[in-house]
Amino acid sequence: MSIRDLVSSALRGLTANKLRSLLTVLGVAIGVGAVIVLVAVGNGSGKAVQDRLEAMGTNLLTVSTIGGGGGGFFRGQAGPSAQQYSLTMADAEALADPRLAPDVAAVAPVMTSSGTATNGDTSYTVNQILGTTPEYLPATNTPVGLGSSFTAQDVEDGRRVALLGQTAATELFGRAAQAVGQTIRLGSVDHVVLGVLASKDSTGFSDPNSVVVVPISTLRATQAGYGALSQIVVQAVDRTKVDAAQAEVTQLLAARHQVTATTASPFRITNSAQILATSEETAETFTALLATVAAISLIVGGIGVTNIMLVTVTERTREIGIRKALGAPRRVILSQFLLEATLLSLLGGAVGVGAALIVSRFELAGVQPVLVPSSIALAFGVSAAVGLFFGSMPAHRAAGLRPIEALRHE
């Protein structure tokens, strides 16, 4: 019996019970589609997090004091230790010295506060009023979308100028473009809006566009006071020098604050490259978990193939007996039923791939799926393997029937 005859015979067997075959194909299709879509969702989620972290800069270090010690809204508990290890403007100036920290490209001291911004009768509660220097914006990949940034001279003179995030500008002025050149009031102090920051994607529950950036000297003089800094943002010269820059920052701060070798470091230095690597590992684990869960539905589809093929063998026992009595060898019977099971799985795999390609074009749970060709090929290949594996038992049962017993079957 040729391959062509086997395929024709298998197709006739499948089309003889169209509804049953359709439901079996549907079971496999759901499994294959689930694997592809969930892997795509996992990849999409991981890519979104990586894009956001890379947008912040992968050569960035954020230095803060463990247990607080910041200024303004985030000011920590007071005490001798807190004062000893509090970050100061002098620390930021020391870190910016290329002789002391040669692998540091830029340093931006940061103080934060919160409050309400008003424009006439319109008021808006700002998530974060951030006082810093001009170096902060390029170091954190925060470009000015409209207008211009403040300058080092603005910081030195303590000028009352501000940059608005997109949300803050829209809430106060209706349109972001109308904010530039206008005056807003932070607390009881008027500030001239120099520019509006480019929109940023959300990285959590807070809106990163609900922010007002002012010169650090202005914030200290009007709202936050002259206490400790909330944090210091440090930019390494490039991605390969992040670890070296972190070591220099650690040693310099330890020397300035007299931290002994036996004392746990009172400073928390967040390395954006390490966060990115951790997020990538987390995303891979998350994707593997989703793929495992989806693979279970593919196994359930395979069990459905076994069930249907056992029913088919039972229904066609007399046909098998007649063919064996006429001289059909065991391998022909085995091949025919294996081929039927494999065709069911392949059809289910093709339908599942098609459905996954359609579904993945849409955003799911706020995540844009990212299809991976290897996952499509793997899912389709596994569906064929499922047909062979789960169809082997019914096929062997059919091939092992004795002709006389098969012909007696009612």
Side-chain angles (χ1 to χ4, degrees):
M1 199 172 190
S2 65
I3 297 295
R4 183 176 181 180
D5 294 334
L6 281 174
V7 173
S8 299
S9 178
L11 289 175
R12 282 197 301 273
L14 295 179
T15 54
N17 293 284
K18 294 184 178 64
L19 180 59
R20 195 164 68 189
S21 298
L22 179 63
L23 293 175
T24 307
V25 166
L26 187 60
V28 177
I30 291 174
V32 172
V35 169
I36 296 173
V37 170
L38 290 184
V39 169
V41 168
N43 287 328
S45 177
K47 184 176 183 302
V49 173
Q50 290 169 17
D51 288 345
R52 290 166 189 165
L53 288 174
E54 287 178 349
M56 293 171 60
T58 54
N59 57 342
L60 203 65
L61 301 171
T62 304
V63 184
S64 58
T65 304
I66 296 175
F73 183 75
F74 295 104
R75 185 174 299 164
Q77 295 179 348
S81 297
Q83 292 178 359
Q84 178 184 352
Y85 301 132
S86 294
L87 296 172
T88 64
M89 290 294 291
D91 291 330
E93 293 169 0
L95 293 174
D97 189 336
R99 296 170 300 175
L100 302 176
D103 292 307
V104 171
V107 176
V110 175
M111 290 191 76
T112 54
S113 182
S114 63
T116 301
T118 58
N119 169 35
D121 296 332
T122 304
S123 62
Y124 176 68
T125 302
V126 181
N127 282 352
Q128 192 176 60
I129 301 174
L130 191 147
T132 185
T133 58
E135 288 79 8
Y136 177 84
L137 301 179
T140 58
N141 277 340
T142 309
V144 178
L146 298 168
S148 60
S149 177
F150 54 82
T151 64
Q153 191 63 46
D154 293 328
V155 177
E156 185 175 344
D157 296 343
R159 291 173 184 163
R160 296 175 179 181
V161 293
L163 303 173
L164 302 183
Q166 286 281 335
T167 302
T170 303
E171 291 288 337
L172 288 170
F173 294 95
R175 293 176 53 196
Q178 294 180 346
V180 180
Q182 302 296 319
T183 300
I184 62 169
R185 174 162 290 189
L186 294 174
S188 59
V189 181
D190 289 339
H191 291 69
V192 177
V193 179
L194 294 180
V196 178
L197 302 175
S199 179
K200 279 193 157 187
D201 292 334
S202 175
T203 56
F205 294 105
S206 62
D207 181 4
N209 300 302
S210 176
V211 62
V212 175
V213 183
V214 300
I216 189 169
S217 55
T218 305
L219 187 70
R220 301 184 91 183
T222 58
Q223 293 192 49
Y226 292 89
L229 298 176
S230 301
Q231 58 184 218
I232 298 175
V233 173
V234 178
Q235 185 182 28
V237 290
D238 59 51
R239 294 180 61 173
T240 62
K241 297 293 185 182
V242 173
D243 291 339
Q246 182 171 350
E248 292 166 5
V249 170
T250 302
Q251 292 176 3
L252 189 55
L253 290 178
R256 286 185 55 81
H257 293 269
Q258 300 177 349
V259 180
T260 62
T262 56
T263 304
S265 175
F267 303 109
R268 179 187 295 112
I269 302 177
T270 305
N271 185 327
S272 58
Q274 292 175 351
I275 295 176
L276 180 60
T278 303
S279 70
E280 289 175 345
E281 293 175 1
T282 304
E284 289 174 0
T285 304
F286 179 62
T287 302
L289 177 63
L290 290 178
T292 303
V293 173
I296 294 174
S297 61
L298 188 55
I299 293 174
V300 172
I303 293 173
V305 171
T306 303
N307 186 34
I308 291 304
M309 290 308 299
L310 284 174
V311 173
T312 300
V313 170
T314 303
E315 289 177 347
R316 294 162 62 183
T317 300
R318 284 182 62 82
E319 174 194 330
I320 295 169
I322 293 172
R323 292 180 63 182
K324 282 202 161 187
L326 293 175
R330 173 188 170 89
R331 60 180 174 77
V332 172
I333 304 297
L334 180 68
S335 301
Q336 179 182 342
F337 284 95
L338 267 181
L339 191 57
E340 286 187 23
T342 305
L343 283 176
L344 282 173
S345 295
L346 288 177
L347 287 172
V351 173
V353 169
L357 291 176
I358 295 173
V359 172
S360 60
R361 297 173 69 90
F362 302 96
E363 196 172 89
L364 303 174
V367 175
Q368 181 61 50
V370 176
L371 281 174
V372 180
S374 59
S375 70
I376 297 175
L378 181 62
F380 191 73
V382 169
S383 71
V386 163
L388 286 171
F389 179 77
F390 286 95
S392 60
M393 194 265 278
H396 278 288
R397 182 174 178 179
L401 287 174
R402 297 177 61 187
I404 189 65
E405 293 177 354
L407 289 171
R408 287 175 179 172
H409 182 75
E410 295 294 336

